[in-house]
Amino acid sequence: MENVLFEKQGHVSIITINRPKALNALATAVLKDLEEAVKTVEEDMDTYALIITGAGSKSFVAGADIVEMKDKTVEEAAEYSGYGNSIFRRIEQLHCPVIAAVNGFALGGGCELAMSCDIRLASENAVFGQPEVGLGITPGFGGTQRLARLIPTGIAKEMIYTARNIKADKAKEIGLVNDVVASDDLMATAMKLANRIAANAPIAVAHAKKAINEGLQQNIDDAVKLEVSEFSECFKTEDQKYGMECFVNRVKDKEFKNK
Ligand code: CO8
C-alpha cells in the first residue's frame, strides 16, 4: 500500500494516511488503500486498539481530493461519497476502539475521518473544519450526520454553514476532541491511551463499544435491552471468569486472553 502505512505494536495497530505532498488528501487511490488497511484490522481480533494518524507534521487529512473531485458528474459524486462513507462506517463498526491522533489539518473528509473514530486526540497545531459549502458542496463523508451527533447541533450547524475552521483548543471546548497535547507528544499519548484500553478484556471492550454505538441510535428502552444482551454475553467468556477471580484474589497484574 503506497498511500497508507500499516504497522502493529503489540496489540495496537496504527494506520497512517501517507500522502503528505497533498496534505494526505483522500484521493480514490488513498481510500482504496485505507479500505485495505481497515479490512486487515477487521480480520485481526488480536488488534485490541487502533490509531489512525496522518504522515508529516502539518496535516492529519486535508479532506477529499478537490482536484480529483471537481469534474465529477452527479453519479460519480454519489459513488465517491458512498465509497468514502462505507469505509468510514466500517471504521466506526470495528470490533476495537479507534483513536484519531490528529496531527494538523482535519478538514472536510479529514474531520469526517476523525469523527468516525471513537476518540480524538489533537496536537496543538490541529485545525478542524467542514469547509465544503465554501466549495459549493455539502460534507459528503458523514459530516452532516456525525458532527451533529457529536457536538451540540447549533454549533455543528454554525461550523458547517460558515465553513469556518476551528483550532484545537476550541475543538476541545466544544467536545469535538478529548484532549489536546504538544505535537511532539501526540503519538506517545495516543499509544499510552491505546495500551490502557488494550490492557482490559478485549471482548468486553468490543461489547461496550457495540452497546454505546448501537444504543445511541435507539430509544432508551431498546437501548437498555441491548445493554442487557451485551453485558450477559460477557459471561460466556474466560476473561469474565478470570477478571473477577483476579479481583477476588487481589491479583493486580492481569493479562486477559481475549477468550
Ligand atoms: N485536495 C487536493 N489537494 C490538496 C488538498 C485537497 N483537499 N488540500 C491540500 N492539497 C494540496 C494542495 O493543492 C498543494 O498541492 P501543490 O503543492 O501541488 O500545489 C498541497 O496540498 C499543499 O497545500 P497548500 O499549498 O494549500 O498548503 P497551505 O499550508 O497553504 O494550506 C490548507 C493548507 C489550508 C489545508 C489548504 O491546503 C486547503 O485549504 N486545503 C483544502 C481543504 C479543504 O477544503 N478540504 C475539504 C475538501 S472537500 C471534502 O473533504 C468533502 C468530503 C466529502 C466528499 C464526498 C464528495 C462526493
Side-chain angles (χ1 to χ4, degrees):
M1 288 186 289
E2 183 189 333
N3 299 296
V4 168
L5 308 174
F6 184 84
E7 62 177 304
K8 198 168 167 192
Q9 295 182 19
H11 292 294
V12 179
S13 290
I14 303 163
I15 288 175
T16 305
I17 311 294
N18 184 37
R19 196 189 168 211
K21 63 177 180 349
L23 303 184
N24 303 320
L26 298 173
T28 304
V30 182
L31 286 177
K32 286 209 164 104
D33 287 354
L34 177 61
E35 183 182 27
E36 191 63 37
V38 169
K39 186 164 177 275
T40 304
V41 179
E42 282 171 340
E43 291 169 354
D44 178 21
M45 292 301 138
D46 185 59
T47 290
Y48 298 171
L50 169 68
I51 297 171
I52 300 182
T53 192
S57 57
K58 198 172 161 183
S59 182
F60 175 69
V61 167
D65 192 302
I66 300 169
V67 181
E68 185 186 288
M69 201 169 20
K70 71 180 184 27
D71 295 321
K72 285 197 186 300
T73 63
V74 171
E75 291 74 23
E76 287 165 347
E79 193 184 335
Y80 186 47
S81 171
Y83 183 48
N85 261 310
S86 71
I87 300 168
F88 289 12
R89 186 81 179 111
R90 281 167 66 181
I91 292 171
E92 194 167 45
Q93 292 177 313
L94 280 170
H95 60 278
C96 63
V98 186
I99 300 166
V102 182
N103 56 314
F105 293 113
L107 303 177
C111 190
E112 291 166 312
L113 174 60
M115 289 192 292
S116 71
C117 301
D118 295 275
I119 293 169
R120 283 151 293 285
L121 285 181
S123 58
E124 282 167 340
N125 68 331
V127 176
F128 295 82
Q130 297 289 163
E132 286 89 345
V133 295
L135 295 162
I137 58 172
T138 69
F141 288 161
T144 56
Q145 302 311 307
R146 290 197 182 90
L147 192 60
R149 282 168 167 79
L150 262 176
I151 64 172
T153 315
I155 299 177
K157 286 179 171 175
E158 184 181 333
M159 277 181 70
I160 291 172
Y161 301 161
T162 62
R164 212 184 285 144
N165 295 339
I166 58 168
K167 293 185 176 162
D169 54 349
K170 179 72 177 174
K172 182 166 182 200
E173 188 189 311
I174 63 174
L176 183 55
V177 303
N178 295 52
D179 222 342
V180 181
V181 299
S183 300
D184 288 346
D185 297 337
L186 181 66
M187 281 314 284
T189 308
M191 273 310 284
K192 198 170 166 196
L193 180 59
N195 280 315
R196 175 81 204 228
I197 292 168
N200 293 305
I203 298 171
V205 172
H207 281 301
K209 173 168 172 168
K210 190 168 172 218
I212 295 167
N213 280 0
E214 292 184 15
L216 276 172
Q217 313 307 323
Q218 299 175 358
N219 68 58
I220 188 70
D221 292 316
D222 291 339
V224 167
K225 281 184 200 144
L226 173 66
E227 184 183 83
V228 170
S229 162
E230 297 302 317
F231 168 78
S232 53
E233 282 289 306
C234 296
F235 286 75
K236 285 181 182 167
T237 67
E238 285 180 30
D239 281 347
Q240 175 268 323
K241 314 283 175 236
Y242 170 73
M244 293 190 174
E245 279 299 322
C246 285
F247 174 80
V248 171
N249 297 320
R250 300 186 185 278
V251 175
K252 288 271 182 288
D253 291 328
K254 294 189 290 265
E255 201 171 327
F256 288 104
K257 291 197 178 72
N258 194 19
K259 283 185 185 159

